[in-house]
Amino acid sequence: MKILVTGGAGFIGSHLVRYLIQHSTHNEIFNLDKLTYAGHLSNLKDVSRNSRYHFIRGDICDARLVTRLTKQVDAIIHCAAETHVDRSIHQATPFLRTNVIGTQTLLEAVRRTAVRRFLQISTDEVYGSISVGRATEETPLRPSNPYSASKAAADLLALSYYKTYGVPVIIVRPCNNFGPYQYPEKMLPLFITNALQGRSLPLYGDGQNVRDWLFVEDHCRALLLLLRKRRELGWKPSVPFPHAFARTLRWFQTESTWWRLIKEAEPAFHRFSKIQYPSLQF
Ligand SMILES: NC(=O)c1ccc[n+]([C@@H]2O[C@H](COP(=O)([O-])OP(=O)(O)OC[C@H]3O[C@@H](n4cnc5c(N)ncnc54)[C@H](O)[C@@H]3O)[C@@H](O)[C@H]2O)c1
């Protein structure tokens, strides 16, 4: 199967590209990524020379490029997005551009082609905070920040393209992912790397908030199942949380060059950290 992965140089996208190549001998992967501050080709150095992997640097808002690529593939897994809630609170416009217009650009291209599956990677954040219990697919959308609002808008566009044009859309709303290669502005890698550096951990609120966590490899396995079946996936997480967390921790301990380059040298990381954590030293 020929699969276009958008945002394949980011955290989840890079795991997915690797997973799709390693778990099939015939998948051919096209990775379309703009390489924003969150995208790193070093995330994929182990597969970059594989003949079934192709990297295209570009923007999902570029209709001509997206149309050309869409004509070449059987399925699309749409991961590309602006993803950091705190950044969206400081500056929402890039979130609306990429997450809403970018998704619509892809959907518009897909409706004119023979693509058999369009997996829209959304987020459980579209449901907002749930004070008791958990969200179901019927829970109303109550996004509470520009990031989640832009993802909810993209989901509604995807549904509208399914209903209006029959675009074969499947929307996935995963909870917080964690694992190797997660950009160190996100909570878990920020806490892990700060702890390794002997720095404080910027906890929001009183520490009583509860989140669900999903190991990124389990997420990738679910996405592959969604490409292959319709229903009755039989999926459940396979890596127990303590193992997944220990593997993640070990990876950040071993691969310190990867995150130190970001934390010590990337202007995008420094600009944001100064605004978000003015009293902390990074
Ligand atoms: N990480 C999580 O915990 C989590 C949880 C739920 C849902 N999601 C969703 O999963 C997807 C992937 O998240 P992630 O954590 O891997 O994100 P990430 O920020 O690590 O990576 C995003 C990637 O998208 C690329 N990108 C951004 N704008 C682009 C554009 N206009 N054109 C092409 N490429 C562009 C970036 O360069 C980067 O490689 C997102 O859609 C996100 O909303 C993530």
Side-chain angles (χ1 to χ4, degrees):
M1 192 188 276
K2 292 186 176 181
I3 305 165
L4 173 63
V5 176
T6 69
F11 164 48
I12 296 172
S14 60
H15 282 275
L16 183 63
V17 166
R18 186 177 299 105
Y19 195 88
L20 291 170
I21 287 181
Q22 289 175 351
H23 286 79
S24 156
T25 50
H26 50 272
N27 283 338
E28 190 172 350
I29 311 300
F30 298 78
N31 171 13
L32 171 62
D33 198 299
K34 187 177 169 182
L35 297 184
T36 67
Y37 76 95
H40 293 85
L41 290 179
S42 57
N43 296 4
L44 283 163
K45 56 180 183 300
D46 51 335
V47 295
S48 62
R49 288 170 190 274
N50 191 301
S51 58
R52 292 184 289 119
Y53 169 73
H54 315 281
F55 174 68
I56 305 100
R57 185 171 191 177
D59 192 328
I60 56 166
C61 300
D62 179 343
R64 275 173 63 162
L65 172 63
V66 162
T67 302
R68 179 167 63 73
L69 287 170
T70 302
K71 283 182 183 157
Q72 298 175 40
V73 297
D74 307 299
I76 297 179
I77 308 183
H78 175 32
C79 298
E82 290 291 340
T83 62
H84 193 36
V85 171
D86 293 335
R87 283 183 188 261
S88 80
I89 293 166
H90 293 297
Q91 199 186 11
T93 307
F95 287 74
L96 297 181
R97 183 183 176 279
T98 287
N99 300 0
V100 183
I101 302 295
T103 302
Q104 192 261 340
T105 306
L106 282 161
L107 288 163
E108 192 58 31
V110 169
R111 87 175 174 94
R112 298 169 196 282
T113 61
V115 166
R116 299 205 301 266
R117 277 278 196 286
F118 181 91
L119 298 193
Q120 155 74 0
I121 311 303
S122 180
T123 167
D124 65 345
E125 298 242 6
V126 296
Y127 299 118
S129 283
I130 309 281
S131 45
V132 181
R134 57 186 64 230
T136 70
E137 288 179 354
E138 279 71 43
T139 303
L141 303 187
R142 287 205 184 90
S144 55
N145 53 64
Y147 163 67
S148 52
S150 69
K151 296 295 287 188
D155 288 5
L156 294 178
L157 275 168
L159 281 177
S160 80
Y161 272 70
Y162 166 70
K163 289 204 173 135
T164 311
Y165 306 109
V167 169
V169 166
I170 296 177
I171 297 176
V172 189
R173 291 182 176 145
C175 57
N176 274 21
N177 280 226
F178 69 101
Y181 294 108
Q182 189 166 26
Y183 193 84
E185 69 185 357
K186 301 285 170 62
M187 192 199 99
L188 220 54
L190 180 66
F191 278 23
I192 292 172
T193 58
N194 272 17
L196 290 172
Q197 292 175 299
R199 294 179 177 164
S200 23
L201 315 184
L203 187 66
Y204 296 168
D206 57 8
Q208 297 299 307
N209 294 326
V210 175
R211 299 300 308 258
D212 278 335
W213 293 94
L214 174 61
F215 189 44
V216 65
E217 284 178 19
D218 275 328
H219 185 190
C220 292
R221 197 165 47 79
L223 296 178
L224 186 58
L225 283 174
L226 280 167
L227 271 190
R228 289 178 173 165
K229 298 188 175 193
R230 297 227 169 268
R231 295 172 183 279
E232 305 298 335
L233 302 183
W235 177 91
K236 50 184 178 184
S238 67
V239 190
F241 181 81
H243 293 209
F245 186 75
R247 273 181 58 189
T248 305
L249 192 56
R250 265 199 308 277
W251 187 86
F252 278 95
Q253 282 170 323
T254 316
E255 300 292 329
S256 63
T257 314
W258 182 88
W259 55 264
R260 277 184 195 282
L261 271 176
I262 295 171
K263 286 186 91 169
E264 285 162 19
E266 280 197 2
F269 182 88
H270 280 273
R271 272 197 303 274
F272 171 73
S273 303
K274 269 191 185 155
I275 299 169
Q276 186 67 18
Y277 310 109
S279 59
L280 292 186
Q281 190 207 342
F282 279 88

